[in-house]
Amino acid sequence: MRLRYLPLLVATTLLWGCGDSIDDLNQPTEAVPEEHSEHEHNDEHIAGRLLISAAEQAEVSVFNAEDLSLVELLPTTHVVSGMYATPSLRYAALIQRDQGLVEFIDGGVYSEDHGDHMHPYEQAPSLSSLQLSGAKPTHFDAAEQQAALFFDGDKHNTVNASVTLLDDHHISEGEVIAHHEFATYMHGAAQIRGDYVLATYREASSDTVLPSQVELFHRHDDHLHHELRFAPTCPMLHGSAQNEEHIAFGCSDGVLLIEQQDTSFSAHKIANPEGLEGRIGTIKASHNLHDLLAITSAKRLFNLDPENHDMTEVLWRDEADVDALASTFSAHHGAYFILDNHGDLHVFEGDDGWHHSTHFNLFSEVSENYQLAAAADEEALYVLNQQENILHKVDLESQAITATQELNFAASKLQWLGIAEDEHDHAH
């Protein structure tokens, strides 16, 4: 899927723009709940919501993603350390790792299947009644309509790792799909494949918290049954993702690739390219894309071709002093974004193999700390400057900043919620 806003060869000149900002962020704009008749189709676009957690207070601010006006300020139990969207983009999981707690925010913008159309709804954001407790919640991996929340466990308090399976329906009911506890602690992850779950395995006697293999489980109602442990090892395992047929896990010596054919799974290794310093620790993928994107801690990018068992580097730095300050992945657009230390935004597309599509200058001056989030309903990217506490909205088609908002709090995490573009297209 090619992004409409990306030029193929020539990057255009940045046009600067600035939106209005509100005078007092402590006075949220009124959010009017709106539910349209089942027999009336609303042609008006419903803007998404942008969530920003505070770095020093236990609260999350919810903004209108269109004009960056404040919609709601919601309290959390503790300061949020991580924030992730659920598969349908209605809820955000609020990770409070050190306190062993996960809460959920309902962004208030969602759609429901009414048979002949997807019906959009808009209501005030709210904190869900669901709370999950466990030792060191960390990785949150969404796939199709379900997500796996992995709790690392605690070595010092002899608490085992565990995984909880979720979807938006169960969250709305204050419930979970299933839960499983492992035999030891580990900094692990899990990938859901329908009724199957691929989860990491760590030897109890290992001297590292990182796993070294992957196991297959089959879900039976609210629990998991162990099926097998894949033979290929994956030392220092970290990072995982999946597309339609393959699941990949990052290892210190390469990538463990698992292929699914109906109910059959097979595993093999793809070795690191010669001369690679460091290791693959992050993997990005989408069910709409054939190839996966493998990423090192130094932001070296590699196109991972699962059918040909091949990894090739995606070159993107024109100068030796170019470093990545922030990045984000959009499964809906099949794109990966990097903001570098020169103020340039780099865009990578995943159609026909991952490649560096374009880059353009976004800021004349940059600081150190940024967060990026992509909209799923329009060609827009949000850039949070955590050092200056300023939020920008970037139109990726015109390559211009279209709105800017100064925040009156120290900002931390950034997440977009709302109705994805494909659901908007089918809503009417």
Side-chain angles (χ1 to χ4, degrees):
M1 177 170 62
R2 178 167 294 279
L3 301 184
R4 296 193 301 272
Y5 56 78
L6 296 181
L8 297 180
L9 295 174
V10 181
T12 60
T13 303
L14 172 65
L15 300 177
W16 283 87
C18 186
D20 296 331
S21 58
I22 59 179
D23 295 328
D24 187 359
L25 290 180
N26 292 316
Q27 300 296 323
T29 58
E30 183 179 0
V32 181
E34 184 175 353
E35 293 192 8
H36 307 291
S37 166
E38 193 166 329
H39 302 290
E40 295 179 1
H41 294 178
N42 176 34
D43 291 330
E44 182 181 356
H45 175 268
I46 299 178
R49 301 274 167 77
L50 203 64
L51 278 59
I52 302 180
S53 64
E56 300 171 356
Q57 293 86 31
E59 60 188 28
V60 173
S61 297
V62 184
F63 295 86
N64 181 296
E66 182 66 31
D67 60 10
L68 305 187
S69 60
L70 184 67
V71 177
E72 197 70 66
L73 181 64
L74 297 172
T76 59
T77 302
H78 308 284
V79 174
V80 173
S81 60
M83 191 157 52
Y84 304 93
T86 58
S88 71
L89 303 174
R90 175 174 178 176
Y91 294 91
L94 311 177
I95 309 295
Q96 296 149 63
R97 187 176 190 270
D98 290 344
Q99 296 80 20
L101 181 67
V102 180
E103 295 177 295
F104 297 86
I105 281 182
D106 182 348
V109 175
Y110 61 98
S111 64
E112 292 181 352
D113 190 348
H114 282 205
D116 63 336
H117 69 284
M118 295 298 295
H119 197 70
Y121 292 87
E122 182 179 20
Q123 61 189 31
S126 61
L127 198 63
S128 168
S129 62
L130 179 64
Q131 291 188 347
L132 301 178
S133 298
K136 299 181 181 178
T138 307
H139 282 291
F140 187 90
D141 292 293
E144 294 297 290
Q145 297 303 311
Q146 297 180 341
L149 171 63
F150 203 95
F151 294 84
D152 288 352
D154 190 334
K155 173 183 178 180
H156 301 291
N157 294 309
T158 320
V159 179
N160 293 336
S162 63
V163 64
T164 297
L165 308 187
L166 304 153
D167 64 13
D168 283 34
H169 170 71
H170 284 78
I171 293 173
S172 68
E173 298 293 325
E175 303 172 346
V176 303
I177 299 174
H179 183 78
H180 177 79
E181 183 174 312
F182 299 96
T184 186
Y185 63 89
M186 62 179 143
H187 181 58
Q191 293 287 332
I192 303 175
R193 304 283 297 187
D195 288 334
Y196 291 94
V197 176
L198 291 96
T200 53
Y201 168 80
R202 172 188 169 274
E203 288 278 1
S205 59
S206 174
D207 57 0
T208 175
V209 299
L210 293 177
S212 60
Q213 286 179 277
V214 173
E215 296 184 310
L216 178 67
F217 294 84
H218 190 237
R219 183 171 68 84
H220 293 261
D221 297 324
D222 62 351
H223 60 281
L224 305 181
H225 284 187
H226 182 268
E227 297 251 323
L228 62 90
R229 184 179 305 151
F230 295 101
T233 60
C234 184
M236 307 296 287
L237 188 158
H238 191 273
S240 63
Q242 60 174 291
N243 61 14
E244 187 173 0
E245 296 179 346
H246 297 88
I247 312 97
F249 295 85
C251 320
S252 59
D253 57 356
V255 172
L256 174 64
L257 195 66
I258 299 174
E259 181 177 0
Q260 179 182 5
Q261 294 182 340
D262 296 325
T263 60
S264 177
F265 294 81
S266 58
H268 63 270
K269 290 288 288 293
I270 300 178
N272 281 336
E274 186 176 352
L276 173 64
E277 296 180 0
R279 44 83 54 83
I280 301 296
T282 302
I283 301 175
K284 301 296 182 181
S286 166
H287 275 245
N288 298 321
L289 301 175
H290 172 271
D291 292 355
L292 300 90
L293 184 65
I295 308 167
T296 71
S297 59
K299 286 297 186 290
R300 288 182 66 183
L301 309 183
F302 293 86
N303 183 80
L304 179 59
D305 183 346
E307 289 187 2
N308 296 314
H309 303 169
D310 181 53
M311 269 200 294
T312 56
E313 187 162 8
V314 181
L315 300 174
W316 63 276
R317 305 178 214 241
D318 296 329
E319 301 176 23
D321 65 341
V322 174
D323 292 319
L325 296 181
S327 62
T328 193
F329 174 73
S330 173
H332 291 275
H333 290 131
Y336 185 67
F337 304 90
I338 291 179
L339 177 67
D340 74 20
N341 58 326
H342 292 277
D344 287 353
L345 182 69
H346 299 259
V347 185
F348 305 84
E349 290 186 85
D351 59 323
D352 299 324
W354 283 95
H355 55 280
H356 188 204
S357 177
T358 189
H359 73 279
F360 56 91
N361 186 254
L362 197 58
F363 303 108
S364 58
E365 295 182 4
V366 291
S367 55
E368 290 295 324
N369 302 314
Y370 286 86
Q371 288 273 312
L372 304 180
D377 66 340
E378 60 177 328
E379 289 142 0
L381 185 76
Y382 298 88
V383 182
L384 174 62
N385 183 333
Q386 296 165 296
Q387 185 165 316
E388 303 294 335
N389 296 314
I390 298 176
L391 175 66
H392 301 284
K393 180 178 181 179
V394 180
D395 185 309
L396 292 164
E397 186 173 20
S398 64
Q399 301 181 351
I401 296 175
T402 58
T404 296
Q405 182 64 274
E406 294 186 6
L407 308 176
N408 64 353
F409 60 92
S412 178
K413 305 300 180 181
L414 177 68
Q415 181 62 56
W416 186 94
L417 298 179
I419 303 173
E421 185 177 21
D422 54 352
E423 294 185 35
H424 271 299
D425 292 343
H426 293 292
H428 314 301

